[in-house]
Amino acid sequence: MPEPTRPGNGNIRRGLNPGTILLALLAAAFGYLFASRLDTFLADRSGVKREITVMNTSANIVIPADSGSRLESAKLADLAEQAIREVDALMSPVGETSDVKKLNSAQAGTWIQVSPLTWTVVMEALRWHRLTGGAFDPTIGPVKRLFHFNQSETDAWPDAAALAAAKERVGGEKVLFEREGMRLSFAKDGMRLDLGAIAKGYGADRAIETLLANGVKNALVEIGGEVRTIGVNTNAKPSAAWKAGIENPRGKGYIPLPDINDKSLATSGDVNQYFIYKGKRFEHIIDPRIGLPLGEGIVSVTVIHPTSCMAADALATALTVLGREEGRKFLAGQALGLFKDGVRVIMLLSAPDGALRRVDFAVDNQGAMIETESEPAFVVPQESGEERPKETRQGAD
Ligand code: AMP
Ligand code: MG
C-alpha cells in the first residue's frame, strides 16, 4: 500500500485550518538525506524534500530522485521556495510588499498598480466570481472579519446592521481595473481583497512552473493542502505514483484517491476553521450572496483538476458555497467549457443525523458527467512498521 499521510492543521498565523488531504510525501525516503547533509553531493540523484512555513500555513516541495534537471535538487528547491514566497509577499493580507495590503489600505477610487502576478490572480478570481454567479468572491473580507473561526463555541452573533454594512462592501463587481498599467481600485470605501481561496493554488502553480523551466520532470508542490504534481514519484516503488487521499474529517482514516500524477488537487472544508453558534457549526467560507458563513451541510469539497492548481483551489471554494445541487448544475453547464479537459469532485456531506455521505462528480474529456453517491469508506493505516507519510495542511487564508 502506498503511504498516505495524515494532514495537519495549517494556518499558523491565524488559528487552525481544515486538514483534509493526505499525501505520500516520502518522509522516510528522504530522512537520511537531511540527516547526513549529503544533499549538495547527491542532490541530483537523490532528490529533496523541503517543508517550509509560508502563506499562513506549511508547504512541501518534493523532488524525487533523478529530477532530470542539471541543477542540484537543493538549488531547485530554493527556486521553488522563492516562487512561493514571492506570491505570498505580494498577496498576503499583511506586509509592506503586499499589493493586497496596499489596495486594502487605500480609499475607494485610488488606483493601485499591482505586480503582474497579483494581476493574474485577481483577474482569475474575478473570472470565477462571474462564472459562479458570485459564489466565489475575492472581496469577502468585510464579512469574514465579523466572525472568529477559532473553533470556539459562542453565543455572540454580529448585529444585523454590521452584517448589512459589511455585505454592502462585498462584491467582485465593485473591484475596478485598468488593464493598461495593471491598476486596481475599489468602488466603495472599506472593501477588502482576500485571495485566501486562490493564492495557495497559484503559489503551487508558480513553483511547479519554475521547476519545469529548470528541466525538472517529476515533482510535487503542496501549499496548505493544495497540491500540484508533475510526472511521477520515482521514490514510490513499485507504483511510481503520487498518492493522495481525503482525511476523515470527523474521525480516523482517509479516503484513497486515484493517483494524482500530473494533476492538481485542492480541498476546502470546515475541518479546522469554524465556530459553533448555538450548537451549529459555521465555517470560514462565506456565502457572498447572503453575506453569512456557511452552516452545516458541506463538510469538504475536493477537486482534482488536470492542470491548474489555481483553478482547483478556486473551484473547491466555489463548490463549497454552491453545494450539491447548484454545484452539479455548474459542473454540467461548464462540462464542454471550463472543464473540457475533465475534472473530478468529491463532496463530503453531512446528513441531518450527522452521518457522512460521499458524492462524486466526474466530468470526462468528452463533456459527459457522472454523479455517484455512496457511504465514504475510510482506510485506517496500521500504526506499526509502515512508513508514515508526511502531514500536509489545508486552507490557510
Ligand atoms: P479555501 O480554503 O481555499 O476554500 O479558502 C477559504 C478562504 O477564502 C477563507 O478563509 C476566506 O479568507 C476566503 N473566502 C471565504 N469565502 C469565500 C468565497 N465565497 N469566495 C472566495 N473566497 C472566500
Ligand atoms: Mg480555495
Side-chain angles (χ1 to χ4, degrees):
M1 203 201 68
E3 52 299 299
T5 60
R6 282 191 57 76
N9 296 323
N11 206 336
I12 284 157
R13 280 178 249 155
R14 289 203 238 157
L16 301 174
N17 281 304
T20 335
I21 298 292
L22 307 155
L23 289 177
L25 287 183
L26 313 168
F30 285 95
Y32 77 92
L33 190 65
F34 291 121
S36 58
R37 298 303 305 160
L38 285 176
D39 44 335
T40 40
F41 184 58
L42 292 174
D44 286 346
R45 298 184 53 208
S46 301
V48 67
K49 181 199 163 302
R50 181 176 297 177
E51 182 168 1
I52 58 173
T53 298
V54 68
M55 290 186 154
N56 245 4
T57 186
S58 79
N60 282 280
I61 299 160
V62 183
I63 305 167
D66 300 319
S67 73
S69 173
R70 293 165 64 99
L71 295 180
E72 291 167 0
S73 296
K75 174 69 185 161
L76 292 165
D78 287 346
L79 294 173
E81 179 176 344
Q82 262 168 33
I84 299 168
R85 292 202 184 281
E86 185 181 19
V87 174
D88 189 23
L90 291 168
M91 295 171 221
S92 157
V94 294
E96 289 316 302
T97 54
S98 166
D99 286 338
V100 169
K101 163 120 195 275
K102 281 178 208 153
L103 191 62
N104 288 350
S105 318
Q107 285 189 321
T110 309
W111 288 98
I112 303 292
Q113 186 172 27
V114 298
S115 87
L117 277 63
T118 309
W119 179 263
T120 301
V121 175
V122 172
M123 290 304 114
E124 183 71 4
L126 295 179
R127 193 168 76 98
W128 282 100
H129 177 251
R130 287 190 300 274
L131 287 165
T132 60
F136 186 91
D137 197 322
T139 67
I140 200 66
V143 172
K144 194 185 167 196
R145 292 179 97 192
L146 296 178
F147 297 90
H148 305 286
F149 301 94
N150 54 6
Q151 305 189 341
S152 61
E153 285 196 33
T154 176
D155 284 333
W157 191 262
D159 67 63
L163 277 168
K167 188 164 177 284
E168 277 295 296
R169 304 199 303 266
V170 171
E173 69 289 347
K174 296 176 199 141
V175 178
L176 312 176
F177 52 91
E178 272 185 2
R179 209 161 284 279
E180 230 165 90
M182 295 187 194
R183 301 198 306 160
L184 299 173
S185 173
F186 288 146
K188 274 185 183 276
D189 275 332
M191 288 179 65
R192 295 185 72 82
L193 195 62
D194 175 346
L195 299 177
I198 191 168
K200 292 188 301 297
Y202 183 65
D205 284 340
R206 290 284 295 179
I208 286 288
E209 280 153 21
T210 303
L211 295 174
L212 280 169
N214 283 284
V216 174
K217 295 198 167 40
N218 306 307
L220 175 149
V221 174
E222 173 263 330
I223 307 174
E226 323 300 37
V227 184
R228 177 153 167 200
T229 73
I230 45 172
V232 295
N233 180 0
T234 51
N235 282 52
K237 304 265 172 9
S239 70
W242 293 114
K243 296 279 183 190
I246 304 170
E247 186 189 35
N248 182 349
R250 301 286 189 259
K252 282 190 179 166
Y254 67 95
I255 300 172
L257 291 174
D259 297 347
I260 52 162
N261 297 348
D262 267 318
K263 297 222 167 13
S264 287
L265 173 74
T267 296
S268 291
D270 75 351
V271 178
N272 289 314
Q273 287 198 76
Y274 66 88
F275 64 86
I276 311 270
Y277 173 72
K278 296 194 173 164
K280 201 174 162 202
R281 189 175 175 119
F282 289 86
E283 63 176 286
H284 66 132
I285 297 177
I286 313 285
D287 186 340
R289 301 164 304 179
I290 53 170
L292 292 174
L294 294 177
E296 277 149 359
I298 303 273
V299 174
S300 76
V301 176
T302 297
V303 172
I304 303 175
H305 190 276
T307 49
S308 163
C309 197
M310 174 157 64
D313 194 357
L315 184 57
T317 308
L319 288 172
T320 306
V321 176
L322 290 172
R324 180 177 183 174
E325 304 303 326
E326 282 187 89
R328 174 198 300 121
K329 283 188 204 139
F330 177 67
L331 291 167
Q334 288 290 342
L336 291 167
L338 277 183
F339 309 125
K340 65 178 168 27
D341 298 321
V343 75
R344 287 194 66 150
V345 175
I346 299 111
M347 290 185 176
L348 293 182
L349 312 175
S350 120
D353 65 357
L356 287 180
R357 297 295 295 166
R358 167 180 175 167
V359 175
D360 282 55
F361 295 100
V363 179
D364 68 19
N365 55 11
Q366 309 293 312
M369 189 169 87
I370 297 172
E371 178 180 354
T372 52
E373 182 172 350
S374 59
E375 255 181 53
F378 296 103
V379 174
V380 180
Q382 286 167 11
E383 287 301 324
S384 64
E386 271 184 48
E387 187 176 323
R388 292 290 301 176
K390 178 73 192 68
E391 292 189 358
T392 63
R393 290 125 168 91
Q394 202 272 323
D397 54 12

